[in-house]
Amino acid sequence: SSEKYAFKAHSGKEVPAEGFADYAKQLWTDIEKDNDLDLPSQRKMLSIVRCERKRVQHLATFKTKCEADKWPESATSDKFKSDVQSRLDLLLNAFVSETKGYEAEERDKAKDTLASSFWELATDKFDSLVRVERQAVEMEAAAALPKLLPQSGRLPERGFAKKVEQECKRIRRQLLEKVEHFMPTGAPWKNSLNEPEGAATLLDKHLEREVGDVNKEFGNLVITFYQKNLKRSLDQELIRIIDTATPKMWTLIREAHSAAIDGELSKMSEILEEVGRGADAHKERDTLRRFADELVVDRVANEAVKDNFERKMFSCFDGLYNRHKNRTWRMWDNPEQEFEVARKRSEEVLEAFCVDQLYHQDQQDVWPDNYTPTIWIEDSRKDALRDRFNALIQAELSWAVENRKDNSTHNSMMLVGLIIFLGHDELYWLITNPIYLMAFLLVSAAGAGYYFTQKVGNLSQILQLLGIKVPAAATPSDSRSSSSSGVSLKQFEGMGSGAAATLAGRKVQSYPGPAKSS
């Protein structure tokens, strides 16, 4: 109490009665040693000694009580904060009440030391609680981050890295909120969360590993998606190109092959760059190229090995020649010449399917590693396909010639009628101007003669079309081989279609075609 003081009523000089013996002892020691007497200093030393002694005493009593209560081991996260605060207040209040009257500065120092000792006692339990919460948050992160991955079959979109970053911030904030829930007021542990071995730092390291794993998985999904997308888009284009089967097939395939790789690689690179896998995008070019190469080889090979490949050749021929017999042959058309052109174009299709031509033969320095062109149609099979093809087209020329004969007179009469009906004024003008009429007739006759000679043949053939028999036109001396003047109708005279001849049980006489492969 305030009554237990020596030197009472002397402001700043009171000494607690229980400490007077120590105070007097220190004074007598200084007198014996003939030291200068400094009463304020002696009083301060007394405060240091007595406050420290009280601190040790109260701390020991507090530890004994904690051991009896099995505290802080028995504390739970929901009651830890209030429990710590109440026990700390009891400890410090008891210390302050027993050190009242000593130097305030020394008493506060001893009080702070006592509080530090208290926090040390509770630190292990606090760390344990934080560890439990951190592990729970880490487990949640391990489950939450993979959920950000696109579902199977869905297009991986840009912005995945931003979603992952936002989720990591949410998880880190969640840990800090949970820790704040049981963090006592004035506790010295808040800054320790960000230390090298602190909970927040350890969580960041864990999240970094989780993000690396999920980014790797996302990158694999992106690569797989665009590989499948490459196959799908390129396959559709290859089907279209191969079905049309033009002599420029390989040029179109190379363009589609390159466009598909560059297009998918560009879209894939943009997304992979966001998740730090930009280097993988450059490596994937070779993978995409291998996928595209295999797809091209498979598609062309599947078509080349078909037993009825001659039908594809005939389809190309028919598209250029009779067009499913829907073509109307005019008087000025030349069936024999166009027949030879269509036949050659169809055989170019055959040559296109004989060997892999994805990479140019004269650019072997840029060929992929271990690339060797595959031969799909050997020379022996090529000759057999050519024979069957010639058997299919042998009746097409006869039909074209007959069609032209049927349409020539009809078309000529129609043309004259149209000129008279639609060009009456112009015709009247020409008739009333003899000079212009003669010039028109001469120019028209010269142009028509030149055109028919180029498109139909020689003069004898033109006269035959007009119904004028010229013996010299049918003499053997005018017959020439197909290699020098194209195809002659005489080669197929008296022959039916290949299918009809087969059904009739007789041997088909095929169009000889060019010389077979040696």
Side-chain angles (χ1 to χ4, degrees):
S1 66
S2 58
E3 300 298 331
K4 297 179 180 180
Y5 286 92
F7 310 118
K8 186 178 178 183
H10 295 273
S11 178
K13 298 180 181 179
E14 297 92 341
V15 176
E18 65 175 356
F20 184 76
D22 292 331
Y23 181 69
K25 181 180 179 180
Q26 183 63 36
L27 287 176
W28 185 252
T29 301
D30 288 339
I31 292 172
E32 287 182 334
K33 293 182 179 180
D34 198 20
N35 293 332
D36 293 335
L37 294 179
D38 186 356
L39 296 182
S41 297
Q42 300 298 330
R43 186 173 181 280
K44 184 173 184 179
M45 290 177 64
L46 175 65
S47 297
I48 294 174
V49 172
R50 296 300 295 173
C51 287
E52 177 63 19
R53 187 176 298 170
K54 289 293 182 181
R55 182 192 70 80
V56 173
Q57 178 185 346
H58 281 281
L59 181 60
T61 303
F62 176 77
K63 287 182 178 181
T64 301
K65 188 174 186 310
C66 287
E67 290 176 358
D69 297 340
K70 295 183 179 180
W71 192 90
E73 291 80 6
S74 60
T76 58
S77 60
D78 56 336
K79 296 182 178 179
F80 181 77
K81 181 176 182 179
S82 59
D83 199 8
V84 166
Q85 197 67 51
S86 62
R87 288 176 180 269
L88 178 63
D89 290 344
L90 288 173
L91 176 64
L92 295 183
N93 289 339
F95 172 79
V96 170
S97 65
E98 293 191 12
T99 56
K100 197 172 183 180
Y102 291 106
E103 289 283 340
E105 181 182 357
E106 301 305 325
R107 182 185 61 193
D108 290 342
K109 288 182 180 180
K111 179 181 176 182
D112 292 341
T113 304
L114 180 61
S116 297
S117 300
F118 173 85
W119 292 123
E120 289 177 2
L121 290 175
T123 296
D124 289 343
K125 183 60 180 181
F126 174 79
D127 291 342
S128 176
L129 294 175
V130 171
R131 188 182 310 110
V132 171
E133 296 296 341
R134 177 175 60 81
Q135 291 173 350
V137 170
E138 289 176 353
M139 292 179 63
E140 182 179 346
L145 291 177
K147 291 181 180 179
L148 299 177
L149 294 170
Q151 298 301 315
S152 177
R154 295 188 60 184
L155 172 66
E157 300 176 350
R158 298 184 63 179
F160 178 77
K162 187 175 182 180
K163 292 180 181 179
V164 171
E165 181 182 0
Q166 292 174 346
E167 183 64 16
C168 289
K169 288 181 179 180
R170 184 194 68 80
I171 292 172
R172 193 178 197 277
R173 186 168 58 251
Q174 182 177 348
L175 173 65
L176 296 179
E177 290 174 354
K178 288 185 175 182
V179 172
E180 187 68 25
H181 179 70
F182 57 81
M183 174 82 73
T185 303
W189 301 319
K190 192 169 186 177
N191 293 333
S192 66
L193 296 175
N194 295 315
E195 292 178 356
E197 296 299 323
T201 303
L202 294 177
L203 176 63
D204 289 341
K205 292 179 179 179
H206 178 81
L207 290 176
E208 184 177 350
R209 292 191 296 270
E210 290 290 338
V211 169
D213 292 340
V214 79
N215 282 345
K216 183 178 180 180
E217 181 65 21
F218 177 75
N220 293 337
L221 291 175
V222 171
I223 293 171
T224 302
F225 177 85
Y226 282 104
Q227 286 175 351
K228 292 180 178 179
N229 202 49
L230 170 72
K231 286 186 176 181
R232 182 168 54 251
S233 61
L234 181 57
D235 191 46
Q236 294 174 352
E237 192 67 13
L238 289 176
I239 291 174
R240 183 188 65 81
I241 294 172
I242 293 173
D243 283 349
T244 55
T246 65
K248 294 183 179 179
M249 181 184 76
W250 281 108
T251 300
L252 298 175
I253 287 178
R254 293 187 197 104
E255 293 175 354
H257 176 271
S258 178
I261 294 175
D262 292 340
E264 301 303 326
L265 185 66
S266 175
K267 291 182 285 188
M268 182 174 66
S269 299
E270 291 179 358
I271 300 179
L272 291 180
E273 286 285 351
E274 289 188 354
V275 295
R277 294 191 60 180
D280 293 343
H282 300 291
K283 297 178 183 178
E284 284 303 314
R285 170 178 285 276
D286 293 336
T287 303
L288 291 177
R289 181 191 53 74
R290 285 196 298 271
F291 272 96
D293 290 356
E294 292 173 1
L295 186 59
V296 169
V297 170
D298 289 344
R299 277 296 175 188
V300 179
N302 290 341
E303 194 70 25
V305 298
K306 289 183 177 179
D307 293 334
N308 60 344
F309 185 80
E310 68 275 4
R311 289 288 178 182
K312 179 171 286 292
M313 299 171 63
F314 179 79
S315 177
C316 176
F317 172 87
D318 191 50
L320 295 170
Y321 197 60
N322 281 332
R323 302 161 195 162
H324 303 291
K325 295 188 177 178
N326 290 325
R327 178 176 179 176
T328 299
W329 290 88
R330 305 298 181 184
M331 180 180 62
W332 51 82
D333 291 327
N334 189 333
E336 291 87 353
Q337 184 177 354
E338 293 193 33
F339 180 92
E340 182 65 16
V341 172
R343 184 190 63 78
K344 289 181 178 179
R345 294 287 297 275
S346 301
E347 291 198 358
E348 289 177 4
V349 171
L350 173 62
E351 293 295 333
F353 281 90
C354 287
V355 64
D356 180 6
Q357 302 176 37
L358 181 58
Y359 296 98
H360 293 284
Q361 295 292 329
D362 56 350
Q363 296 179 354
Q364 297 187 16
D365 54 325
V366 297
W367 281 9
D369 296 337
N370 303 321
Y371 170 76
T372 302
T374 306
I375 298 175
W376 295 303
I377 301 178
E378 302 288 347
D379 289 342
S380 58
R381 182 166 177 256
K382 188 192 304 183
D383 293 336
L385 289 172
R386 189 180 288 116
D387 289 341
R388 295 203 296 268
F389 167 69
N390 289 330
L392 289 174
I393 66 174
Q394 61 188 357
E396 299 297 315
L397 178 60
S398 299
W399 183 88
V401 172
E402 292 300 324
N403 183 269
R404 184 180 65 169
K405 287 182 179 180
D406 293 342
N407 290 305
S408 294
T409 303
H410 175 72
N411 292 338
S412 299
M413 294 295 294
M414 183 180 292
L415 180 61
V416 172
L418 288 174
I419 292 176
I420 294 175
F421 178 74
L422 298 176
H424 178 269
D425 294 340
E426 288 78 3
L427 181 62
Y428 178 78
W429 182 82
L430 285 174
I431 294 175
T432 56
N433 292 274
I435 297 177
Y436 291 106
L437 177 61
M438 293 299 295
F440 173 76
L441 293 175
L442 289 174
V443 171
S444 299
Y450 176 77
Y451 180 80
F452 283 119
T453 302
Q454 296 295 318
K455 295 292 289 183
V456 179
N458 55 35
L459 182 60
S460 299
Q461 291 174 314
I462 297 174
L463 294 176
Q464 280 184 324
L465 291 174
L466 297 175
I468 302 174
K469 295 184 178 181
V470 182
T475 58
S477 60
D478 289 339
S479 61
R480 289 170 289 181
S481 64
S482 62
S483 62
S484 60
S485 62
V487 179
S488 174
L489 182 59
K490 295 295 184 180
Q491 295 172 283
F492 303 110
E493 197 170 283
M495 298 171 60
S497 67
T502 303
L503 292 173
R506 59 186 176 84
K507 185 178 180 181
V508 179
Q509 180 181 355
S510 302
Y511 169 68
K516 298 181 179 179
S517 305
S518 57

